């Protein structure tokens, strides 16, 4: 070894690709000097070296866009700091559209980009051709231009980051393999290497496509799998200057960038080819896979359409290098829920060069602060569960994931591979009733119903499809009659023990020292006073509580609750999600229906709002909670899975006289938005306080003993709310909204829609979204009424009404009748 090999370090980073080096660089910038980075081969020798090096700024989530914008700033300054060139060039990028549908998507992206402060300009085909003269344009509908995008040399950036890290005190060792990770009492204590052991407080898994197998050494699920990813590099071409923009033709699945006077052309074919290696060889350094022209053919054919001059140009290099992909096309970041002190930064889905500058910064801040410093939920490792690590499922899923880069991003689009995955006990019955299923946290969930014996015709598009009228009927039935929704995917966590009440009081912002048989809605906050989760707490006994949380949240919530419990607390947490089916019976006729199938008293006096009781439904014994996420009188039934079919059949047999309908999640979305109910990950994130979200009523600042986040909220109370959640309703009842649309006040962007749907009761599309004032003054009803609000829908501005109150039943009278 060139330097004395260490026996201890505060942090050991495993992997010397761009992500590992970025994390090391940023830890050093934050003042952490005792950091060791280990690379089993040579720096950038895994995936980084053969990456195409495209850097596109825009992402669907604002914070991911922010991180990539940081990457571009970092790459532009690294050479001056380290003396090493990065190859960074801000050449701009074009994305072109062959169809009107694709152009709608690009216009939506342009509106979103400009709202996020990213310059993005729609172009005509002629204008696009002027920026990219060797491109065929007669078959194009249009394009968008992002001047801030660019390209870089991946290996050079990695070396520059490594030098910057070394300058900050980080020790980097190549040709050292980590053979095992040491743990004790659920926490990492160090690593075993080919050069000897190193004790450490923190281990960071930046091992790229090896990250899955390294995680498995300590029982950590890192759900990624490698696909073959191919591109070609041509000989020099006439008309290809060094500053030629990056060009993407997503309808042809292809991209182009200038490379030494020629073109680098690659893409993301609709059906990818997984690299069938459950175990990747340790010595696969600077490795390539065999050429596969058959797999590449669809990309080559489309490239010849877009750039006809390729037909007469020689090919210098065919590159086939494996890259790792995740089930949802977002990378994996954060501290593993299974082992304390074990962090992961991997799975970059061919976006590692663009993302790693900012992702390394975010991961370093997470390590130093002990929690994320911004909302990183879309990439948080806790969005996955252990079952997502199944190799057979991952292989099938990533064959689709790779192609999602350029596949039409239709609203409501569902991934199709690896399904059905998790099924409710009622799956077959719902399918027979014409359910169109969506997928969340692996669960098959009914989105809408075509009717008994019918096959749902789900045609994706920007306009109203066959689903629209079906959802309208489900929506009206909930408002006027009664519906039943299978919500089995809800997370359920049992909290038991002598100290359960005291622990939950500390962890929850609301008062949850409830009488037995009562429930309360609450947020769970971090020290900044922003949301880590939101859920309902039900008290079943003196020492027994049941938490009902969102479908995506059980892994996150179990982790957050567990890490914030006092070490000496007599409390046990158990994820019981799979033990219970949930059936929501909602609507003004729900009381009459339940009274018919049960001997329980469902009157206001006998069963008040927020109560939870054990009742009989037909032959089954279930828990019934009088709560709603749809804004109507109703009960959620928590049914042991062995009784699910019995209860479902009992409800439908008795429900005929009341017009009982099945309803799905599309109806639930419209219903909850009419009522202004918030959703985790959209309206409630680690960037939002309860006051901003309009949920101050669910915070008890004077609660004895306090709670996590109390101090921050006490300091915030009374200060002007310059950012607030509002309800938004279009004045025109015809257009549809899908979420993400920019919200403008007097022509200037002030926010965007976090959620959107069609409100069939009010007869217009609507949504929720945050608006922000930049002058330091409070957002109040007067300011909202004084402004002229519009929604930017793919470049068309539509008048909207904006309010702090929901458009439907703002007083909440209907849920308590």
């Amino acid at each position: 070894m060139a330097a004395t090999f260490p026996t201890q370090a505060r942090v050991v980073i495993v992997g010397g690709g761009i992500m590992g080096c970025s994390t090391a660089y940023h830890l050093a910038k934050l003042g952490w000097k005792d950091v060791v980075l280990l690379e089993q081969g040579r720096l950038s020798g895994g995936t980084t070296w053969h990456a195409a090096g495209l850097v596109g700024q825009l992402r669907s989530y604002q914070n991911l866009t922010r991180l990539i914008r940081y990457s571009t700033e970092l790459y532009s300054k690294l050479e001056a700091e380290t003396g090493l060139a990065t190859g960074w060039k801000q050449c701009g990028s074009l994305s072109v559209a062959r169809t009107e549908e694709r152009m709608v998507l690009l216009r939506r992206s342009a509106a979103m980009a400009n709202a996020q402060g990213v310059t993005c300009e729609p172009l005509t085909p002629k204008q696009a051709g002027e920026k990219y003269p060797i491109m065929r344009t007669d078959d194009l509908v249009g394009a968008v231009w992002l001047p801030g995008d660019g390209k870089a040399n991946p290996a050079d950036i990695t070396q520059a980051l490594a030098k910057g890290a070394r300058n900050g005190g980080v020790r980097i060792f190549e040709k050292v393999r980590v053979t095992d990770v040491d743990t004790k009492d659920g926490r990492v204590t160090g690593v075993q290497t080919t050069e000897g052991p190193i004790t450490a407080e923190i281990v960071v898994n930046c091992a790229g496509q090896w990250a899955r197998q390294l995680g498995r050494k300590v029982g950590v699920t890192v759900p990624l799998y490698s696909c073959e990813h191919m591109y070609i590099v041509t000989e020099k071409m006439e008309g290809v200057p060094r500053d030629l923009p990056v060009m993407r033709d997503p309808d042809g699945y292809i991209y182009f960038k200038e490379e030494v006077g020629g073109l680098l052309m690659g893409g993301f074919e609709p059906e990818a080819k997984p690299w069938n290696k459950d175990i990747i060889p340790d010595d696969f350094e600077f490795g390539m896979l065999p050429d596969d022209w058959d797999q590449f053919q669809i990309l080559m054919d489309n490239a010849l359409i877009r750039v006809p001059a390729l037909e007469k140009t020689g090919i210098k290099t065919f590159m086939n290098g494996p890259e790792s992909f995740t089930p949802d096309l977002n990378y994996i970041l954060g501290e593993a829920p299974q082992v304390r002190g074990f962090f992961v930064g991997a799975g970059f889905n061919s976006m590692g060069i663009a993302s790693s500058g900012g992702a390394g910064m975010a991961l370093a801040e997470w390590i130093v602060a002990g929690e994320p410093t911004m909302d990183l939920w879309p990439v948080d490792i806790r969005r996955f569960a252990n079952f997502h690590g199944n190799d057979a499922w991952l292989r099938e899923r990533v064959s689709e994931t790779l192609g999602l880069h350029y596949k039409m991003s239709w609203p409501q689009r569902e991934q199709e591979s690896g399904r059905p995955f998790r099924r409710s006990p009622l799956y077959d019955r719902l399918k027979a009733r014409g359910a169109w299923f969506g997928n969340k946290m692996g669960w098959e969930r009914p989105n809408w119903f075509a009717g008994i014996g019918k096959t749902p015709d789900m045609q994706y598009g920007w306009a109203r499809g066959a689903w629209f009228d079906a959802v309208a009927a489900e929506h009206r039935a909930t408002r006027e009659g009664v519906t039943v929704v299978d919500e089995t995917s809800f997370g359920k966590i049992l909290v038991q023990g002598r100290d359960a009440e005291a622990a939950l009081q500390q962890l929850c912002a609301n008062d949850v020292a409830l009488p037995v048989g009562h429930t309360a809605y609450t947020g769970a906050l971090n020290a900044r006073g922003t949301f880590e989760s939101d859920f309902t707490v039900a008290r079943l006994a003196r020492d027994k509580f049941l938490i009902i949380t969102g479908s995506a949240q059980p892994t996150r919530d179990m982790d957050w609750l567990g890490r914030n419990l006092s070490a000496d607390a007599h409390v046990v947490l158990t994820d019981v999600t799979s033990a219970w089916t949930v059936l929501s019976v909602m609507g003004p006729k729900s009381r009459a229906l339940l009274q018919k199938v049960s001997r329980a008293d469902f009157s206001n006096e006998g069963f008040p709002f927020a109560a939870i009781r054990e009742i009989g439904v037909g032959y089954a014994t279930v828990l019934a909670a009088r709560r709603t996420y749809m804004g109507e009188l109703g009960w959620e039934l928590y049914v042991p899975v062995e009784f699910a079919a019995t209860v479902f059949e009992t409800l439908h047999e008795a429900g005929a006289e009341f017009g009982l309908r099945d309803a799905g999640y599309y109806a639930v979305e419209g219903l909850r938005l009419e009522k202004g109910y918030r959703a985790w990950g959209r309206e409630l994130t680690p960037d939002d306080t309860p006051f901003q979200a309009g949920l101050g009523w669910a915070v008890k600042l004077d609660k004895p003993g306090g709670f996590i986040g109390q101090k921050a909220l006490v300091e915030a109370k009374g200060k002007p709310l310059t950012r607030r959640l509002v309800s938004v309703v279009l004045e025109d009842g015809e257009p549809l909204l899908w979420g993400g649309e920019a919200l403008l006040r007097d022509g200037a962007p002030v926010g965007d829609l976090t959620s959107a749907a069609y409100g069939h009761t009010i007869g217009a599309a609507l949504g929720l979204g945050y608006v922000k004032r930049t002058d330091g003054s409070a957002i109040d009803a007067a300011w909202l009424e004084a402004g002229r609000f519009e929604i930017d829908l793919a470049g068309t501005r539509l008048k909207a009404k904006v309010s702090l109150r929901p458009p439907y039943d703002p007083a909440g009278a209907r849920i308590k009748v």
Side-chain angles (χ1 to χ4, degrees):
M1 305 297 295
T4 303
F5 192 74
T7 58
Q8 71 80 34
R10 188 175 190 181
V11 181
V12 171
I13 299 172
V14 184
I18 190 169
M19 182 59 191
C21 290
S22 178
T23 304
Y25 171 89
H26 286 98
L27 282 172
K29 288 291 184 183
L30 291 171
W32 282 34
K33 308 294 185 182
D34 188 13
V35 177
V36 169
L37 184 149
L38 304 176
E39 164 55 43
Q40 66 179 359
R42 288 165 289 173
L43 295 183
S44 80
T47 298
T48 299
W49 73 278
H50 61 72
L54 311 184
V55 182
Q57 301 172 84
L58 187 61
R59 293 294 180 267
S60 299
Y61 301 98
Q62 288 196 25
N63 280 352
L64 301 191
T65 298
R66 284 176 54 195
L67 293 181
I68 293 180
R69 294 184 71 187
Y70 171 82
S71 292
T72 65
E73 296 167 5
L74 174 66
Y75 300 162
S76 67
K77 297 184 293 188
L78 266 179
E79 183 172 356
E81 177 186 340
T82 66
L84 296 181
T86 63
W88 165 250
K89 188 169 187 61
Q90 185 178 317
C91 57
S93 78
L94 279 167
S95 289
V96 303
R98 302 188 189 191
T99 66
E100 289 288 352
E101 291 82 1
R102 176 72 67 175
M103 196 61 210
V104 169
L105 180 60
L106 294 183
R107 290 193 191 100
R108 285 176 57 85
S109 298
M112 183 190 304
N114 290 319
Q116 295 182 24
V118 176
T119 302
C120 185
E121 177 187 355
L123 302 179
T124 65
K126 181 176 183 296
Q127 291 170 323
E130 290 167 355
K131 291 189 178 294
Y132 210 93
I134 61 172
M135 172 176 64
R136 175 186 170 188
T137 62
D138 64 327
D139 61 341
L140 297 181
V141 175
V144 293
W145 167 246
L146 287 97
D149 285 359
K151 60 183 181 178
N153 185 306
D156 288 348
I157 292 177
T158 303
Q159 293 293 343
L161 288 167
K163 184 174 181 181
R166 289 189 184 100
N167 292 344
V170 174
R171 292 168 289 175
I172 296 177
F173 296 89
E174 299 179 290
K175 295 295 184 180
V176 177
R177 181 175 302 131
V178 171
T179 58
D180 209 347
V181 179
D182 298 326
T183 64
K184 183 179 180 181
D185 299 328
R187 170 171 285 279
V188 297
T189 58
V191 295
Q192 298 291 323
T193 82
T194 50
E195 293 293 324
I198 305 177
T199 61
E201 300 172 20
I202 292 168
V203 174
V204 188
N205 179 0
C206 294
Q209 57 189 342
W210 289 268
R212 184 176 84 258
Q213 54 208 58
L214 179 63
R216 284 178 175 169
K217 290 180 181 293
V218 283
V220 170
T221 299
V222 185
L224 53 80
Y225 204 90
S226 292
C227 285
E228 300 188 23
H229 188 216
M230 307 167 203
Y231 62 76
I232 59 170
V233 180
T234 74
E235 303 286 353
K236 287 187 176 181
M237 294 177 62
E238 186 176 346
V240 178
R242 296 303 298 269
D243 60 353
L244 187 73
V246 170
M247 190 262 284
R248 298 176 176 88
D249 177 3
D251 291 312
Y253 322 113
I254 50 176
Y255 59 78
F256 299 84
K257 79 162 189 172
E258 182 275 338
E259 184 84 1
V260 197
L263 289 179
L264 182 154
M265 185 281 289
F268 300 97
E269 61 271 31
E271 294 184 21
K273 182 181 178 183
W275 186 28
N276 196 17
K277 284 279 187 182
D278 289 348
I279 302 296
I280 298 174
D282 292 329
D283 59 357
F284 191 78
E285 180 191 3
F286 295 105
M288 292 175 58
L289 301 177
D291 297 357
D292 189 340
W293 284 100
D294 290 338
Q295 181 70 18
F296 196 72
Q297 190 64 48
I298 189 171
L299 305 182
M300 195 72 226
D301 290 345
N302 278 286
L304 291 169
I305 292 171
R306 189 59 46 227
V307 181
L310 280 174
E311 189 172 5
K312 299 179 181 178
T313 305
I315 295 173
K316 185 167 57 177
T317 304
F318 186 107
M319 172 63 70
N320 184 4
E323 295 189 24
S324 58
F325 289 79
T326 66
D328 61 0
L329 204 63
N330 283 331
Y331 53 88
I332 301 170
L333 211 64
E335 187 174 12
Q338 299 92 345
V339 180
R340 297 285 180 261
F342 188 86
F343 287 79
V344 178
F348 280 88
N349 303 286
S350 287
M351 296 182 290
I353 308 309
S355 300
S356 287
M361 175 193 70
L363 186 56
E365 289 182 353
W366 191 333
I367 292 167
V368 171
E371 63 182 13
T373 56
M374 65 178 77
D375 175 24
L376 294 171
W377 178 236
V379 296
D380 193 317
I381 189 172
R382 294 171 295 177
R383 72 190 189 274
F384 294 119
N386 288 344
F387 52 75
H388 285 112
N390 178 282
D391 284 335
W393 181 79
L394 279 171
R395 269 197 306 275
E396 184 168 346
R397 174 53 62 92
V398 299
S399 66
E400 178 187 14
T401 299
L402 179 145
L404 295 181
H405 273 291
Y406 288 166
K407 189 174 182 179
M408 262 299 290
S409 186
W410 295 114
Q412 305 169 314
R413 185 186 68 192
E414 297 283 350
Q415 288 178 260
E416 300 169 356
S417 57
R419 295 179 59 190
F421 195 27
R422 302 174 81 186
R423 288 184 253 190
S424 155
L426 302 174
Y427 174 82
D428 291 334
R429 285 172 171 79
L430 299 174
K431 188 174 182 180
R433 303 179 81 87
W436 171 262
F437 291 96
N439 192 263
K440 191 167 188 178
M441 197 57 168
W443 287 104
E444 299 293 330
R445 311 195 311 171
N447 280 336
W448 62 280
F449 289 84
I452 295 175
K454 296 181 181 179
T455 300
D457 180 21
M458 186 64 195
Q459 297 177 349
Y460 295 135
W462 299 110
R464 303 178 182 190
W467 56 271
F468 187 85
D469 290 339
V471 173
E474 296 168 19
H475 186 116
R476 283 192 296 270
T478 309
R479 292 280 185 245
E480 300 168 8
V482 60
T483 56
V484 59
V485 183
D486 181 357
E487 295 183 321
T488 299
S489 63
F490 278 173
K492 306 118 190 156
I493 298 171
L494 206 57
V495 185
Q496 300 178 94
R498 181 184 62 224
D499 300 327
E501 179 188 292
L504 286 173
Q505 284 287 76
Q506 175 71 17
L507 297 171
C508 298
N510 206 349
D511 185 355
V512 296
L514 307 162
V516 173
H518 286 71
T519 68
Y521 169 81
T522 184
L525 312 179
N526 53 44
R528 303 190 304 278
T530 59
F531 285 94
E532 287 296 328
S533 188
D534 77 317
F535 41 69
T536 297
V537 177
R539 188 165 204 163
L540 305 182
R542 183 188 61 80
D543 58 353
K544 184 178 181 182
F545 295 77
L546 181 66
I547 289 175
I548 306 298
T549 189
S551 303
Q553 292 152 252
T555 302
R556 179 191 181 95
D557 287 354
M558 284 287 290
D559 176 68
W560 190 85
L561 293 166
R563 70 172 56 243
N564 285 287
L565 283 174
S566 172
D568 57 357
H570 192 279
V571 181
V572 176
L573 304 175
T574 310
D575 184 345
V576 294
T577 298
S578 298
W580 299 84
T581 291
V582 179
L583 293 173
S584 286
V585 182
M586 295 289 151
K589 297 181 181 179
S590 59
R591 176 180 283 125
L593 170 58
L594 289 172
Q595 198 66 76
K596 185 176 180 181
V597 299
S598 176
R599 294 186 177 185
D601 180 359
F602 292 94
S603 68
N604 266 326
E605 297 76 19
F607 210 134
F609 184 77
I612 185 167
R613 308 276 165 78
E614 188 173 86
I615 67 168
V617 175
Y619 296 149
T621 301
V622 308
L623 282 173
R626 188 174 167 190
R627 302 202 66 89
T628 178
Y629 196 48
M630 299 168 223
E632 297 295 337
L633 172 71
W635 281 260
E636 293 174 356
L637 306 181
Y638 309 123
V639 185
V641 293
E642 64 268 31
F643 290 115
T646 297
V647 171
F648 186 77
E649 290 166 357
T650 299
L651 290 171
H652 272 286
E653 288 168 6
E657 70 175 272
F658 305 104
L660 177 67
R661 292 186 67 113
D662 296 289
Y665 275 85
Y666 289 173
V668 172
E669 186 75 350
L671 291 159
R672 70 105 179 167
L673 289 174
E674 286 188 334
K675 194 65 180 67
Y677 290 147
R678 284 68 165 146
W680 164 256
R682 287 182 276 175
E683 289 77 50
L684 308 177
T685 78
D687 290 340
D688 312 312
T689 72
F691 300 148
Q692 293 169 333
L695 295 177
W697 59 267
V699 175
K700 298 297 183 283
L701 289 178
D702 58 351
K703 184 167 61 170
F707 58 90
I708 297 173
Q710 181 187 41
K711 181 180 178 182
L713 293 186
V714 169
E715 293 174 356
K717 192 170 179 62
K719 294 181 180 178
L721 281 172
T722 60
R723 180 174 176 271
R724 295 190 74 173
L725 189 70
V726 295
S727 285
V728 181
V729 181
L730 288 185
E731 291 188 6
D732 184 345
E734 186 62 26
L736 301 182
L737 298 175
W738 302 106
E741 293 87 357
L743 181 61
L744 301 96
R745 183 182 187 273
D746 298 334
V750 291
D752 59 6
L753 296 187
T754 49
S755 300
Y758 196 86
H760 293 279
T761 310
I762 63 173
L766 77 167
L768 290 169
Y770 282 94
V771 294
K772 186 175 182 179
R773 289 189 73 168
T774 56
D775 62 3
S777 299
I779 294 171
D780 55 18
W783 183 80
L784 295 175
E785 291 169 6
R788 174 175 53 86
F789 283 91
E790 297 169 302
I791 291 290
D792 187 333
L793 181 60
T796 300
R797 295 188 177 185
L798 304 172
K799 293 180 181 178
K801 299 173 185 177
V802 174
S803 175
L804 295 172
R805 289 164 64 82
Y808 180 78
D809 188 27
R814 292 182 65 88
I815 67 176
K816 297 181 181 179
V817 294

